[in-house]
Amino acid sequence: MFPVSLTPGCLSRERDLQVSSPGEGGIWILDIALVSSNRVMVTEQTNDAVKLLDSQGGKVVSKLLLSRRPIRVCLLRDGRAAVTLPNQKRIQLIRVDGDTLSLDGSIDVKGEVYGIAVHDHHLVLSYVNPGRLEKITMEGEVTHQLNNHTAGIELFKYPYFITTSHDGNIFIADYGIKNTISQLDQNLQVVQTFTSPMLKSPAGVVAVSNTQLLVADRDSHNILMLDTTTGSMTPLLGQAEQIQDPWALGWCPVSRKLYVGYFGKKTTIYVYSRK
């Protein structure tokens, strides 16, 4: 863990990171995960593919085609990645061997699975239609579950993005209607829910420390910084820094770089580094 504290004005724009392979046009990036300080993995729906990007060279180094619309991705501790395929109600496991990506088994789930994160050797999953959460083993066994019926109230509508902090908290971004960020414990019990007039459509979320969470808010065109100890939200990056329809975020604690993917077809990811 590399502790860091971010404040408005502390990030500066670097060279963009190319997401289009030769011969391709715009790419719709759905999620970002950091494999290392110089390798970035993305899911993209234009080609139904997972790509590995060289953050230093600024280009695509590997591309793996999947069967149907990969959505979210997270890195596992054993050198693999896990990708959600909601149309197939399945999680695809991918082996990362240097710059080579290959299929490595899958996990069937019951529902349209969208968000995914790793927590204590388990996977935390979010579903829509209806919104609910699960914690499962790598063999697919459900160990914890939270749904709207169990809770007695509608907790989630479109919980598209999940992230976890170093101290074990789980954060869920509910996009579009409820527009909330919820903090859960390891048993999927809601600890607190964050709301703000600035939250218009929270999408990608990433923890940069145990108390700071970054939120890509599409409709406000901001990257918001949430202080989880106070609940305060502050715009970290906005339209003055060329933020427009932000959707997916990736944070590298080693290089202290923020990667921003945008809603719609683009050819690059924007990269910001801490000054």
Side-chain angles (χ1 to χ4, degrees):
M1 181 70 175
F2 296 81
V4 65
S5 179
L6 300 180
T7 57
C10 75
L11 295 174
S12 59
R13 177 88 174 268
E14 287 202 346
R15 180 179 64 173
D16 296 349
L17 181 55
Q18 189 72 30
V19 295
S20 293
S21 302
E24 294 178 340
I27 299 299
W28 196 322
I29 297 297
L30 295 180
D31 204 7
I32 302 171
L34 273 293
V35 177
S36 67
S37 60
N38 61 2
R39 288 294 182 269
V40 180
M41 183 177 289
V42 300
T43 53
E44 56 105 329
Q45 72 170 13
T46 307
N47 300 289
D48 293 331
V50 175
K51 289 180 177 178
L52 196 61
L53 315 176
D54 177 1
S55 62
Q56 294 181 334
K59 61 181 182 180
V60 178
V61 296
S62 184
K63 175 180 175 180
L64 178 65
L65 299 179
L66 298 182
S67 52
R68 286 287 298 278
R69 199 187 177 204
I71 300 293
R72 307 285 175 256
V73 59
C74 70
L75 274 296
L76 309 180
R77 295 181 180 181
D78 60 0
R80 294 184 297 172
V83 177
T84 60
L85 303 173
N87 291 344
Q88 296 186 337
K89 301 179 181 179
R90 185 163 59 90
I91 298 166
Q92 178 65 57
L93 301 178
I94 296 174
R95 176 69 57 183
V96 184
D97 185 10
D99 286 344
T100 301
L101 303 177
S102 59
L103 301 179
D104 193 51
S106 63
I107 304 171
D108 292 329
V109 295
K110 295 179 180 179
E112 296 180 13
V113 58
Y114 275 75
I116 188 168
V118 176
H119 186 273
D120 191 28
H121 304 288
H122 289 65
L123 295 175
V124 181
L125 311 175
S126 66
Y127 298 81
V128 299
N129 300 324
R132 62 186 172 91
L133 305 178
E134 281 182 350
K135 190 174 182 180
I136 69 169
T137 66
M138 293 304 300
E139 290 72 41
E141 178 186 356
V142 178
T143 61
H144 298 83
Q145 188 175 59
L146 178 64
N147 58 52
N148 294 330
H149 177 73
T150 301
I153 58 174
E154 188 178 53
L155 291 174
F156 307 106
K157 193 72 174 180
Y158 298 110
Y160 282 153
F161 283 88
I162 306 175
T163 194
T164 56
S165 59
H166 184 68
D167 59 355
N169 284 303
I170 301 164
F171 295 92
I172 312 292
D174 203 319
Y175 174 85
I177 294 178
K178 296 187 74 68
N179 294 324
T180 59
I181 305 294
S182 295
Q183 178 183 339
L184 292 82
D185 64 17
Q186 61 183 355
N187 298 317
L188 298 190
Q189 296 301 304
V190 177
V191 176
Q192 55 185 330
T193 298
F194 304 99
T195 61
S196 169
M198 287 185 286
L199 279 179
K200 300 183 183 301
S201 52
V205 288
V206 63
V208 298
S209 72
N210 289 336
T211 60
Q212 283 192 333
L213 191 76
L214 298 187
V215 182
D217 195 79
R218 178 193 167 193
D219 287 352
S220 71
H221 311 298
N222 283 315
I223 307 298
L224 300 173
M225 181 176 61
L226 167 60
D227 184 330
T228 60
T229 61
T230 65
S232 65
M233 297 188 196
T234 306
L236 183 68
L237 297 169
Q239 290 181 291
E241 292 81 21
Q242 293 81 50
I243 300 295
Q244 185 75 28
D245 298 324
W247 184 253
L249 297 179
W251 169 257
C252 180
V254 178
S255 63
R256 299 188 176 187
K257 291 183 180 181
L258 177 67
Y259 298 83
V260 183
Y262 291 87
F263 191 84
K265 291 186 177 182
K266 306 290 181 181
T267 58
T268 62
I269 286 174
Y270 288 2
V271 184
Y272 298 85
S273 63
R274 194 173 190 277
K275 298 177 182 178

